[in-house]
Each structure stands twice: as C-alpha cells, then as structure tokens.
Amino acid sequence: MDMKEVTIFSPATVANVSCAFDIMGFAVEKAGDRMVFRKISEKGIRIKMKNYRELPSEPEQNVAGVVALAIIEKIKPDFGILIEIEKGILPGSGMGSSGASAGGAAFGINQLLGEPFEKDELVQFAMLGEALASGVKHADNVAPNLFGGFTLVRSTWPLDVVPLTSPETLSVSLIHPLIEVKTKNARNILKKSLLMKDAITQWGNVAGLVTGLLTNDFGLISRSMHDGIVEPVRAMLIPMFADLKQAALDAGALGCSISGSGPSVFALSENLSVAEKVTQAMRDVYTGLDVPFETFTSGIGKQGCRVVDENYEK
Ligand code: HSE
C-alpha cells in the first residue's frame, strides 16, 4: 500500500553549543514544528502556512519549499505534494526555526516517497533551505534536526556528520526573548579573522566538550562550555545576556550561551530537576523587564524528525 499522507514532528535545535560555532548542535525533545505532507494530483509543490502566514508560501521562496523542489527534481514523482506547516518555533528565535522547516521537509517527503534517501542525503537537501534563510549552507541545525541527539558536522563539503552520544540525563533550559534576530545579520557582525591564541583556546574547548559528551563527564562539559569568539560579539543583541548567564550558572547549570544566532539563550544541566531551577532563574532575570519572553525546559531530543501519523491509499 502506498502512503498518501504523513504528519511529522520536526524538533527545535540548539546550534553552536557555545564553543562549537557552525559545527555542533543538538535536538530539543519538547519544542518543534508539525508538518503534514499529502500527495495531490497536480504535480509540483504547494505550501500552506497554518500559522505565520506572513512567511512566503511560494515554494521558491519558502525554506521548506526549496528543499521539496530539489527533492522532486531528483525523483520526479508522478504526483504533487502539499505541505502544511504549523510552526511551533518562532522564526528568528535562534532555536533552529529554518532548520526545522528545512529538515522537516526533507524528512517528510522522504517518508512519502518510500524513503529513497539516507539521512546524510536529507541533510544535504535541507542545507538548501538554510542557504535560502541565511545565505549560508550551515548544517549545525539540520543535522541534529534529522539525526537527533548531538551531532558534530566535521565538514559540510564533503558532508561528514558525526552523531555524538551524550549523558542520558543531560537537560536543557531555554529562554526566548520575543525579539527577532536574523541569522544573516548576526553573522555579518562577526569578526572575519582570529588571533591564534583565541583559536587554540576555542578548539581546546570544542575537543573537551565532545569528549565530555562521549564519556558522560559533566565536569569536562562544564569546563569546556566557553566561547571566546562568537558569544562576546553577539551578546550585545540579547537584553541582559550577562545576567541571564550568571543566573543560570548560579542555579547550577553546567554552562550557558547563545542558542544558534540568538536571541534565545540556552543552558545545559545534569538533569531535568536542575534544568527546571535554571529556567526559573532565567525567568526571574526577565520578570519585570519590558521584554516579553517564553521558556522551555526539556530533555535532549534523542530522535530527530519523527512520524506522528500516517495514512495509506485504500
Ligand atoms: N551556526 C549558525 C550561526 C546557526 O550561529 O550563525 C544559526 O542558527
């Protein structure tokens, strides 16, 4: 029997994980988008935004649409596909909103087509959506969105994604100030060159973070979560960033930094109960400020995109 419709959950992701700019990310268990993919008789791709209707629905200008077009260009199915998108992650939040649309499109269409592509290939298609959104084919959101857990993008060309294990209880707190930061702008303000001494410190921390995750060493994870290159520049885009970070660390977080290109700020904790305290401490910093915000406390999303419902032709 052929599948005629599939509904998926496409998770939010935290890219960069402090020191690992553009090369590391992880999926968030409890935040994400819902997407429905339906076969239609008219060939081509149609997009229906169920919320955020201000986002373009022309496939060529839509993050999910460009991914979908690239896939059907390759497979040439004898049917069209309608994609309904219900965003749970606000665009411009730094929680991998474009990555969720792009990764979700690749995953959902692959399901509808009978899974002709491997995950690495889906990441490559999804990177086209990131290129449309930010001008750069970065994979540090779409890789964890599709693989789940933590992923290291050792190289984007040729693509080399390395899924990383992480401690079972590791949990995340996120605060999202409801202001929009466009990834493109947050990239434009970064320095174009580095001092060797700063690079050495940074790659020491990246190696420490990877090792800490793989060996369940919370102390090493904590010592390694320092970013001396990107965070100091982008911190100015986020109201009260230094206070948020201090409050998270004081409440017991292992580390705290900017989620992706911001404005969301994330903290990692040893377990969910510490993460809940950390989230509360971050909320306390924003309470009384003139900046609306939302928060999330979650485990790491072990699974990336996943099917939540499917329908078959009779
Ligand atoms: N690595 C990218 C950046 C992620 O920080 O610009 C964007 O979500």
Side-chain angles (χ1 to χ4, degrees), residues 247-271:
L249 296 174
D250 290 347
L254 298 167
C256 174
S257 187
I258 301 168
S259 176
S261 54
S264 293
V265 173
F266 81 101
L268 287 177
S269 297
E270 271 191 52
N271 58 49

Side-chain angles (χ1 to χ4, degrees), residues 175-186:
I175 182 161
H176 170 212
L178 298 177
I179 50 175
E180 190 180 356
V181 171
K182 288 210 185 321
T183 298
K184 212 180 254 177
N185 299 339

